[in-house]
Amino acid sequence: FVCLFEGSAEVSKIIAVLLPMDEFAHDDGSCYAGEVVKGKKHGKGRYEWADGSMYDGEWSKDMMHGVGSFHYEDGSLYEGHWVKDRKDGIGKMEFVNGDVYTGNWKNGLMHGKGIMKFVDGAIYEGEFKEGRKHGNGKHTFASGRVWIGQFIKGKQGKAKKVIEPKTNGNSNESAENVAPAFSSLV
């Protein structure tokens, strides 16, 4: 902020005037450009770390909070909601290996309903808990095989339905139970 002096020589009063935008360069090579309230990042702003990571979005009391995008130093990108410096709410993560997750986050981890598209063409649609597949889900493998059922701590549990890839125009279903549809997750 900028300090302005008001009054006579006998009485000086400092009035702090808050600028809507400010820029800060730090000794460690990081830099912030954006809105500041009471000396803290608050409102819209962009922070660049010395390692090349960058967050552009909403801030609250010096924390990423609201909607924003984070470019990680390894090339990964997260776009979505933040709560107190953690991914929380709806968001999309593009991992450096090419995998893409779109769905719910909680405390920085995939949590709730989501869709993970793997670089090899496989797709998982279903529930996540603390960063792993957990609950009802449908995993379509790159081969075309479809596995529908319960996932427990990232591993396949009991299958409700397995559909093998089509051979000669016919699919081979190994179970009759139908799992819930996951196409309207996100």
Side-chain angles (χ1 to χ4, degrees), residues 132-135 147 149-158:
R132 297 186 282 189
K133 299 179 217 173
H134 190 86
W147 191 96
Q150 288 284 315
F151 287 80
I152 301 166
K153 296 182 180 180
K155 300 188 190 275
Q156 292 176 343
K158 184 174 178 174

Side-chain angles (χ1 to χ4, degrees), residues 52-159:
S53 298
M54 189 268 299
Y55 173 78
D56 189 5
E58 297 172 335
W59 295 84
S60 178
K61 299 177 184 173
D62 262 353
M63 290 186 281
M64 296 175 283
H65 193 90
V67 177
S69 62
F70 195 104
H71 297 261
Y72 293 84
E73 89 178 274
D74 69 1
S76 298
L77 169 66
Y78 173 79
E79 297 175 304
H81 290 85
W82 295 83
V83 173
K84 296 182 179 178
D85 279 344
R86 292 177 180 233
K87 296 180 281 280
D88 204 302
I90 300 292
K92 177 181 178 181
M93 180 78 172
E94 297 175 7
F95 296 92
V96 71
N97 69 352
D99 294 346
V100 177
Y101 172 78
T102 305
N104 291 299
W105 294 80
K106 184 176 179 183
N107 292 321
L109 299 171
M110 297 174 288
H111 193 92
K113 293 182 180 178
I115 300 172
M116 176 70 89
K117 294 182 180 180
F118 299 93
V119 72
D120 70 357
I123 299 172
Y124 172 77
E125 302 174 75
E127 298 170 335
F128 289 80
K129 183 176 179 182
E130 298 174 350
R132 297 186 282 189
K133 299 179 217 173
H134 190 86
N136 290 319
K138 173 183 171 184
H139 192 108
T140 304
F141 295 86
S143 67
R145 182 176 191 254
V146 178
W147 191 96
I148 301 170
Q150 288 284 315
F151 287 80
I152 301 166
K153 296 182 180 180
K155 300 188 190 275
Q156 292 176 343
K158 184 174 178 174

Side-chain angles (χ1 to χ4, degrees), residues 7 27 39 51 73 91 120 125 155-156 168-169 171 179 182 184:
D27 292 337
D51 67 6
E73 89 178 274
D120 70 357
E125 302 174 75
K155 300 188 190 275
Q156 292 176 343
N168 298 329
S171 66
F182 292 101
S184 62

